[in-house]
């Protein structure tokens, strides 16, 4: 039994939207508007989690995923992800230099981010996300998983925002 059901003061577990993303992916860049709208609509009632699924065709995606994990450690995960996604084409050309530049622009410790990329401290998180994604059938990005349903945004974003809201609203209503 989880703590949320045993205590009258504990908040119920929030519904989770896993976003399988790749930071060099133009489709993920296009999905940013939907993610912002979902965060604005649901606030802390919906847990939107970044999950990494770097694609082999993008040579800087794997290191960008590690950089995003370090940004999360430094308390700036989503701002960093959004800033890198806004520059996917530039990431393809500049790689690590862009990742460090974005970190500095956001006031992160860029030296610590660089060290994290060198020592590989976030490799296991990225690898685990990718393995889990493959296990559940993720083949491209963005892919969303909410309420046990997988929605593939790599083919088309059309209608996904509304479907995610529909599922989130149902899950929230079930919580009472």
């Amino acid at each position: 039994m989880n703590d949320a059901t045993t205590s009258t003061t504990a908040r119920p577990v929030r519904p989770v939207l896993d976003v399988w993303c790749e930071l060099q992916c133009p489709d993920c860049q296009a999905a940013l508007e939907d993610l912002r709208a979902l965060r604005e609509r649901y606030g802390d009632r919906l847990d939107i989690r970044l999950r990494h699924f770097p694609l082999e065709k993008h040579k800087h995606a794997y290191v960008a995923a590690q950089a995003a994990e370090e940004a999360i450690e430094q308390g700036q995960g989503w701002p960093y992800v959004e800033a890198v996604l806004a520059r996917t084409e530039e990431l393809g050309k500049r790689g690590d230099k862009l990742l460090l530049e974005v970190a500095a622009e956001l006031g992160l410790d860029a030296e610590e981010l660089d060290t994290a990329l060198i020592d590989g401290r976030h490799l296991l998180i990225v690898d685990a996300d990718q393995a889990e994604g493959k296990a559940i059938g993720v083949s491209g990005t963005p892919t969303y998983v909410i309420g046990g349903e997988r929605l593939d945004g790599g083919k088309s974003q059309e209608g996904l925002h509304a479907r995610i809201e529909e599922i989130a609203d149902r899950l929230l209503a079930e919580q009472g």
Side-chain angles (χ1 to χ4, degrees):
M1 190 181 299
N2 70 36
D3 292 336
T5 59
T6 59
S7 171
T8 57
T9 58
R11 292 188 60 178
V13 176
R14 298 180 291 176
V16 174
L17 170 63
D18 281 326
V19 181
W20 300 88
C21 183
E22 197 243 58
L23 298 185
Q24 200 177 337
C25 171
D27 292 329
C28 291
Q29 180 184 41
L32 267 180
E33 232 175 275
D34 285 344
L35 290 174
R36 284 185 193 117
L38 289 166
R39 282 201 308 269
E40 188 175 307
R41 176 174 176 177
Y42 293 102
D44 65 358
R45 296 180 304 138
L46 178 65
D47 186 9
I48 301 176
R49 295 189 312 195
L50 173 68
R51 305 299 300 272
H52 302 288
F53 202 80
L55 303 169
E56 286 185 28
K57 67 182 178 180
H58 294 134
K59 68 180 184 178
H60 301 293
Y62 192 76
V63 71
Q66 294 172 67
E69 282 301 313
E70 180 57 30
I72 290 167
E73 286 286 315
Q74 293 187 33
Q76 293 287 325
W78 279 112
Y80 186 81
V81 166
E82 288 190 18
V84 173
L85 277 173
R87 297 161 77 174
T88 56
E89 192 174 313
E90 191 178 351
L91 175 60
K93 295 174 184 166
R94 297 187 54 223
D96 291 14
K97 289 180 184 174
L98 176 74
L99 298 172
L100 297 171
E101 188 177 292
V102 169
E105 288 169 3
L106 293 173
L108 296 173
D109 184 339
E111 283 185 39
E112 188 62 26
L113 189 135
D114 190 35
T115 301
L117 297 179
I118 292 167
D119 70 23
R121 69 182 76 155
H122 302 296
L123 288 172
L124 291 178
I125 293 170
V126 176
D127 289 347
D129 276 359
Q130 192 164 40
E132 184 180 336
K134 286 179 181 176
I136 64 168
V138 174
S139 60
T141 57
T143 297
Y144 309 93
V145 177
I146 183 170
E149 187 171 336
R150 189 179 76 235
L151 307 166
D152 184 358
K155 292 184 175 87
S156 171
Q157 285 291 120
E158 191 172 326
L160 289 185
H161 181 103
R163 181 69 183 131
I164 291 167
E165 284 184 344
E166 179 183 310
I167 296 168
D169 289 344
R170 177 179 46 84
L171 293 171
L172 288 166
E174 289 171 0
Q175 287 184 343

